[in-house]
Amino acid sequence: MKIIVDTREKPHAIAGIIAYFEKNGIEYEKRKLDTGDYMTPDNLHIAVDRKQNLGEVANNLTSDNARFMREARRAAESGLRLVVLIEHGENVKTLTDVSEWRNGIREQHHEAITGRDLMERMQKLSRMYGVEWRFCDKQNTGKEITKILYGQHI
């Protein structure tokens, strides 16, 4: 079992993921990926794109919208299954739970995206490009990445 980790993943942000891989005997290799943050060398038709929370997703789907849309479109056009794994935890376990998310930025900027609007944008990306949205607690990210890429728990 081997997982490719995108070189742009910050070491401090993925220390727990790497520790999980090492503890469970999962080989990993750092390499630049065109789409997503994690893939396997034996199945290049699925990629996991890790997001640290819904705030990062909100930023990707608002101010950084063009880049993320290009990535989703490129994945769909090449037949790549793109799974976005969001390390949000708390009460967000499904896409419909996103509608209840409270965007802290709205306290200062009332025009900032709401949870309902974010959920609708995420659903639109699912319909348009087949993007799948998954959620986990940060301490389970390595396990979830492995499960998504290899279809099993370690």
Side-chain angles (χ1 to χ4, degrees):
M1 193 174 292
K2 186 174 190 174
I3 294 179
I4 302 167
V5 179
D6 187 68
T7 55
R8 292 166 290 191
E9 284 279 80
K10 294 175 180 62
H12 69 276
I14 63 167
I17 297 167
I18 298 302
Y20 176 85
F21 292 165
E22 290 174 349
K23 179 182 176 192
N24 290 282
I26 299 167
E27 292 181 50
Y28 64 93
E29 162 190 347
K30 293 185 178 182
R31 186 187 323 165
K32 183 181 179 298
L33 295 174
D34 293 329
T35 304
D37 300 315
Y38 302 88
M39 296 180 86
T40 65
D42 48 324
N43 183 358
L44 299 176
H45 298 291
I46 183 171
V48 176
D49 192 14
R50 182 190 63 83
K51 302 295 180 192
Q52 65 182 353
N53 55 40
L54 285 173
E56 182 180 359
V57 176
N59 186 55
N60 288 161
L61 299 186
T62 55
S63 61
D64 202 14
N65 188 15
R67 186 197 62 78
F68 192 81
M69 293 295 278
R70 279 193 308 273
E71 185 174 4
R73 184 176 49 252
R74 186 174 54 246
E77 288 172 352
S78 66
L80 180 69
R81 179 177 156 215
L82 181 60
V83 179
V84 179
L85 181 62
I86 305 162
E87 299 174 315
H88 197 77
E90 299 173 18
N91 296 323
V92 180
K93 302 293 181 205
T94 67
L95 191 51
T96 53
D97 293 338
V98 174
S99 68
E100 300 299 320
W101 173 66
R102 301 287 178 243
N103 185 353
I105 294 174
R106 284 184 57 82
E107 293 173 15
Q108 312 252 327
H109 303 281
H110 299 296
E111 71 281 359
I113 194 166
T114 65
R116 176 158 291 291
D117 290 340
L118 180 59
M119 178 193 72
E120 289 172 359
R121 289 184 189 203
M122 293 166 77
Q123 288 172 329
K124 182 179 180 182
L125 276 169
S126 294
R127 288 190 304 273
M128 289 174 63
Y129 302 118
V131 174
E132 295 178 40
W133 305 95
R134 304 263 183 103
F135 304 87
C136 70
D137 296 314
K138 188 172 181 67
Q139 65 268 21
N140 293 323
T141 306
K143 180 171 148 179
E144 290 301 313
I145 290 168
T146 305
K147 180 180 170 187
I148 292 165
L149 293 176
Y150 282 99
Q152 61 190 4
H153 286 285
I154 298 296

